[in-house]
Amino acid sequence: MAKYIFITGGVVSSLGKGITAASIGRLLINRGLNIRMLKMDPYLNVDPGTMSPYQHGEVYVTDDGAETDLDLGHYERFTGQPTSSRSNFTAGRIYWDVLRRERKGEYLGHTIQMIPHITDAIIASIRAVAEEGPDVVIAEIGGTVGDIEGLTFLEAIRQIGLEEGRENVMYVHMTYVPYLKAAGEVKTKPSQQSVAKLREIGIIPDALICRSEVPLEDDVRRKMSLFCNVPYESVIEELDVQHTIYEVPLVLSEQGLDEIIMVHFRMVRPPPKMLPWREMVETIKHPRGSIRIGVVGKYAELQDAYKSLYEAISHGGIAHQIHVEIIKISAEDIESGRARDALADVSGILVPGGFGQRGTEGKVEAIRYARENRIPFLGICLGLQCAVIEFARNACGLEGAHSTELDPKTPYPVVCLMEEQEKVVDLGATMRLGAWPCRIKPDTQSHRAYGALLISERHRHRYEVNNAYREQFAAGGLIISGQSPDGHLVEMVELADHPWFVAVQFHPELKSQPNNPHPLFRDFIGAAALHDGII
Ligand code: GLN
């Protein structure tokens, strides 16, 4: 029988619940437990696949092709365990399923209500994860306690507590303890109120994790304990970490959170084996040098839009014990000329995935700069498509070459819609999604990176390199270094005459982990460090 840890958030959003949940996952794995992570999102979109990066940040894709919340990226990076379509669901998905069943008459004439029909559907989706057989399910509820759309989720996890017995279910509430400069003290009242809201629903937290910018004095902890009805030792402080988010498991373990969990579940396990993780954090804290990588994207100002990408770049640095400073360059600023100097100031250029025309010409220009100046380059998804467009235009003389997504009237459609995409009408969950195999060409940069000839990577795209141009590309010196096993789809390209220039149709950033950096990021950062003379 699986135990459950439910993580809720109070006071404000953006507390780093996902990182905390993922850190708890890492601690329990290091205690020898088998875990599953789950994120529940109370919003009404069926999944985040159609949401704008401005609204939602990155869409994280699982091996089985689900478009999910970016917290699943934290889960995979911290725990090393793949997530799946079961690991994330929204209120929209629950309503959708319930209403479809209602239309089929499956409720036999009953009135369909929030309780029990919606709550039962939520409970069933949580239990589906427990049925995979882990020791512990760690389930995070998105949003903040007090949100109207979160109520059914809270009711569902309260009911699970009743059904399973309190010793099998643990409620962890994350809260914010603000420091008021004018008063010169931290304030516990917002936390008290958010716990009071939880208690109204019938949930009594077993532990509080307090995000704070200043250390909590003993009297503050006592106050939190007393007023929030949580044992003193279960009031855990989570200060902003100094160097890296990967310190969070260490911070929580030092305060005994994993032991508190063991005691609550009446489990006996040896202390967590933290040494390899600690060594990895030490590597991050003590780099032997630093390089600058330019990321030329559409959302330079948005931290969350390229979450996994920024993490994967830093993992590439860990592999060489170097710090990577990420320079976010807006593709539109390259077009207007404002950011041309920025390109000259980096040791490697990366063009990430994306949709739509805005910024394309800037991306193409950045790629041309990398190609002509022999700067290490990694292109991802739209980044590959832009690299092919750039090569077609400037190395093969195909003026006006483009992707039909971005210029339907282009004379040279070097990137075009995949055949099976031509009939697609709905936008949600209809791209080429999830893990697909890729066959690598021997003796290429791609082969040297992976050290394997058959790999599997995750995808999220509709457009593809147009096979009609393959011969012209080859004649110009563009190597197709990876393709689908049937040879129909171009998955990886690289330049014959360049120190390191690789572009991929898939998203390698989704599979990189700090203690297991992705080979493409490792080699890209390695090439950039070499270019910079650091290694
Ligand atoms: N817009 C491109 C496509 O749909 C690239 C997608 C991406 O970068 N994820 O093929």
Side-chain angles (χ1 to χ4, degrees):
M1 288 282 284
K3 316 264 185 201
Y4 295 87
I5 299 176
F6 291 113
I7 300 173
T8 53
V11 183
V12 289
S13 56
S14 303
L15 284 177
K17 271 199 313 246
I19 290 172
T20 303
S23 299
I24 292 175
R26 169 44 64 185
L27 291 180
L28 296 192
I29 287 175
N30 286 7
R31 284 226 175 208
L33 291 167
N34 183 1
I35 61 142
R36 288 288 182 286
M37 305 290 306
L38 167 64
K39 172 83 190 279
M40 296 175 260
D41 281 306
Y43 55 73
L44 291 185
N45 303 64
V46 173
D47 65 37
T50 55
M51 283 161 94
S52 151
Y54 286 104
Q55 290 276 314
H56 186 269
E58 168 187 88
V59 174
Y60 189 79
V61 180
T62 58
D63 276 333
D64 62 352
E67 298 179 283
T68 71
D69 188 70
L70 57 77
D71 277 331
L72 270 66
H74 291 309
Y75 300 167
E76 290 205 9
R77 288 187 284 276
F78 277 76
T79 69
Q81 272 190 6
T83 53
S84 75
S85 51
R86 265 190 239 191
S87 320
N88 182 210
F89 62 87
T90 67
R93 152 79 48 207
I94 296 287
Y95 293 145
W96 182 262
D97 291 346
V98 167
L99 292 177
R100 263 200 313 228
R101 291 178 57 195
E102 185 273 338
R103 290 289 81 184
K104 284 194 193 147
E106 287 183 25
Y107 293 102
L108 304 176
H110 281 269
T111 308
I112 310 303
Q113 295 181 295
M114 289 293 178
I115 304 172
H117 300 98
I118 295 295
T119 44
D120 280 356
I122 295 172
I123 291 170
S125 297
I126 299 172
R127 290 202 185 280
V129 178
E131 274 154 24
E132 291 174 15
D135 300 309
V136 184
V137 175
I138 302 169
E140 175 194 348
I141 300 187
T144 308
V145 168
D147 297 344
I148 288 179
E149 59 264 48
L151 281 173
T152 45
F153 288 82
L154 296 174
E155 171 62 16
I157 66 169
R158 182 194 66 77
Q159 288 186 21
I160 291 185
L162 187 70
E163 287 163 13
E164 297 292 314
R166 286 293 283 112
E167 68 282 12
N168 296 317
V169 174
M170 188 169 177
Y171 299 105
V172 175
H173 188 56
M174 249 191 114
T175 171
Y176 180 57
V177 185
Y179 174 74
L180 283 197
K181 217 162 43 184
E185 57 184 11
V186 297
K187 291 290 175 190
T188 64
K189 189 76 80 193
S191 302
Q192 293 175 37
Q193 280 171 351
S194 108
V195 171
K197 269 237 138 338
L198 268 182
R199 292 216 303 257
E200 229 171 73
I201 295 159
I203 294 173
I204 301 181
D206 300 298
L208 282 182
I209 298 184
C210 310
R211 291 280 289 114
S212 170
E213 277 148 40
V214 295
L216 301 185
E217 302 292 340
D218 196 52
D219 60 327
V220 176
R221 278 193 196 219
R222 283 192 194 288
K223 204 164 158 188
M224 290 286 278
S225 160
L226 184 66
F227 292 146
C228 299
N229 197 50
V230 169
Y232 171 78
E233 63 280 2
S234 303
V235 179
I236 309 280
E237 156 190 293
E238 197 185 306
L239 295 174
D240 295 345
V241 280
Q242 297 251 301
H243 298 91
T244 158
I245 52 171
Y246 300 116
E247 285 176 70
V248 175
L250 301 175
V251 169
L252 296 179
S253 189
E254 272 154 25
Q255 295 177 72
L257 180 59
D258 46 299
E259 188 55 32
I260 291 166
I261 295 170
M262 293 299 105
V263 171
H264 182 92
F265 288 148
R266 305 187 183 23
M267 280 176 159
V268 181
R269 285 290 189 287
K273 292 194 180 70
M274 296 306 289
L275 191 62
W277 194 268
R278 194 178 299 282
E279 282 172 352
M280 182 262 293
V281 169
E282 286 305 308
T283 307
I284 300 174
K285 282 183 174 171
H286 305 289
R288 57 180 161 138
S290 177
I291 59 165
R292 292 152 68 88
I293 293 291
V295 174
V296 181
K298 203 157 77 164
Y299 305 102
E301 74 287 9
L302 292 183
Q303 185 61 25
D304 279 357
Y306 304 117
K307 194 96 200 167
S308 296
L309 181 79
Y310 294 153
E311 289 304 314
I313 294 173
S314 80
H315 303 163
I318 299 174
H320 303 280
Q321 216 189 327
I322 50 180
H323 171 72
V324 184
E325 190 187 344
I326 295 170
I327 310 296
K328 297 164 190 165
I329 304 172
S330 149
E332 285 169 292
D333 284 350
I334 296 183
E335 287 168 15
S336 68
R338 270 196 300 269
R340 292 229 172 92
D341 292 348
L343 288 180
D345 204 27
V346 295
S347 322
I349 293 173
L350 193 151
V351 175
F355 297 83
Q357 165 63 28
R358 183 161 72 83
T360 314
E361 294 307 315
K363 292 176 189 176
V364 168
E365 203 172 317
I367 296 168
R368 177 180 194 159
Y369 184 88
R371 184 173 61 83
E372 291 181 346
N373 294 286
R374 303 176 67 76
I375 316 272
F377 170 78
L378 177 58
I380 293 176
C381 208
L382 183 63
L384 172 138
Q385 298 172 1
C386 287
V388 166
I389 292 165
E390 190 281 321
F391 195 81
R393 289 183 190 172
N394 303 320
C396 303
L398 304 177
E399 203 181 316
H402 222 312
S403 158
T404 53
E405 175 190 6
L406 311 169
D407 177 8
K409 296 204 183 76
T410 171
Y412 303 109
V414 291
V415 175
C416 60
L417 207 54
M418 281 182 274
E419 218 175 291
E420 66 269 25
Q421 285 287 336
E422 277 164 12
K423 308 176 272 302
V424 169
V425 190
D426 280 356
L427 286 187
T430 53
M431 281 187 251
R432 180 172 181 244
L433 288 166
W436 292 89
C438 166
R439 191 158 36 80
I440 291 186
K441 189 177 162 79
D443 301 322
T444 53
Q445 297 284 14
S446 309
H447 183 208
R448 275 187 282 283
Y450 281 95
L453 291 174
L454 190 66
I455 57 155
S456 169
E457 292 281 5
R458 299 182 197 166
H459 295 67
R460 184 171 186 253
H461 65 121
R462 291 185 205 282
Y463 292 80
E464 254 299 326
V465 174
N466 187 341
N467 288 325
Y469 293 90
R470 281 193 187 211
E471 273 173 29
Q472 284 183 68
F473 293 152
L478 186 78
I479 301 168
I480 294 172
S481 52
Q483 39 187 334
S484 55
D486 63 7
H488 283 337
L489 301 176
V490 173
E491 299 278 33
M492 309 175 81
V493 300
E494 56 185 66
L495 286 179
D497 181 28
H498 192 285
W500 208 90
F501 186 108
V502 177
V504 296
Q505 187 56 71
F506 45 78
H507 290 272
E509 72 275 23
L510 302 178
K511 282 176 56 168
S512 187
Q513 290 154 19
N515 47 2
N516 189 14
H518 190 285
L520 287 177
F521 284 90
R522 181 198 64 211
D523 283 11
F524 169 56
I525 299 299
L530 203 62
H531 178 86
D532 212 40
I534 290 208
I535 57 173

